[in-house]
Amino acid sequence: MAGETVITVVGNLTADPELRYTQNGLPVANFTIASTPRTFDRQANEWKDGEALFLRASVWRDFAEHVAGSLTKGMRVVATGRLRQRSYQDREGQNRTAIELEVDEIGPSLRYATAQVTRAASSGGGGGGGNYGGGQQSRPQVPQEEPWASPGSAAPDAWSAPGSYGDDTPF
C-alpha cells in the first residue's frame, strides 16, 4: 500500500517463534529479531558491535505455522515487512507506543548456513509463503506432481542436464 513503511531486517531470532491461536482459531506467531551493526575500528584493528536493535515481529495464518515449524532461536534471518505503530496503556496506566514489524516475507540467511526448502502443502487459505527449513524437519515433503508440469510430459529437464544446453530456452 502507498505510504506504508517497508523495511528489510537481517538479524538473529532471540527465542523460538511463539505460536498462538486467536479465539477464532487464527494462528499468529510472534518473535523478536535482534540486529546488531558491526563496524571496524581501525585504531584498535578489530570489529566492534554497535547497539542492538530488538524488533518485535508477527506473522499470521498458515505463514505463522510455517515460521514456527521452521525457524528457531539463534537463527540468522532476513525479514521484510511493514512497520506498525501500536499505542496502549501499561499496567500502571502510562501511555506507551510500540513499533512492530508485520512480516511479509522471512527466511533463513544463507550467509553462514544452508537450508533445505520444501513446499508446504496448500490448505487453500492463501497467504503464500514457503516452508523454510533449517534442518528442523524430519523428512522433506515431496510433491506428487509438479503443479506447473504439462500433463503427461516426461521430457527431461534441459536446465539440469549438464552439457546439454544450447542457446534455446528449454520451454
Side-chain angles (χ1 to χ4, degrees):
M1 291 185 126
E4 290 188 308
T5 306
V6 177
I7 66 166
T8 299
V9 177
V10 178
N12 297 74
L13 297 184
T14 61
D16 289 344
E18 183 179 345
L19 181 64
R20 293 186 178 198
Y21 294 86
T22 65
Q23 291 179 346
N24 295 332
L26 193 66
V28 59
N30 296 299
F31 50 94
T32 300
I33 301 171
S35 181
T36 307
R38 295 196 77 181
T39 55
F40 189 74
D41 183 345
R42 289 187 179 161
Q43 292 179 347
N45 199 30
E46 66 183 7
W47 288 94
K48 294 199 174 184
D49 288 338
E51 190 170 339
L53 167 71
F54 293 91
L55 187 60
R56 289 290 296 161
S58 63
V59 292
W60 292 83
R61 298 180 176 77
D62 288 347
F63 193 10
E65 293 175 333
H66 298 167
V67 166
S70 302
L71 302 177
T72 58
K73 177 182 178 177
M75 278 187 168
R76 185 175 177 88
V77 297
V78 179
T80 299
R82 293 160 280 130
L83 286 180
R84 297 283 187 223
Q85 179 173 308
R86 184 173 55 87
S87 299
Y88 63 97
Q89 280 191 348
D90 64 13
R91 292 181 180 146
E92 288 80 37
Q94 300 291 319
N95 291 329
R96 301 284 183 185
T97 301
I99 305 292
E100 298 170 341
L101 181 66
E102 192 172 306
V103 176
D104 293 324
E105 298 287 340
I106 188 170
S109 169
L110 300 182
R111 179 172 236 172
Y112 306 113
T114 61
Q116 179 64 44
V117 179
T118 57
R119 184 175 301 275
S122 176
S123 67
N131 190 359
Y132 301 101
Q136 302 301 317
Q137 290 111 345
S138 56
R139 277 178 61 101
Q141 296 174 344
V142 178
Q144 296 297 328
E145 183 179 315
E146 297 293 347
W148 50 85
S150 302
S153 68
D157 182 7
W159 288 110
S160 64
S164 68
Y165 46 88
D167 291 336
D168 297 330
T169 56
F171 43 87

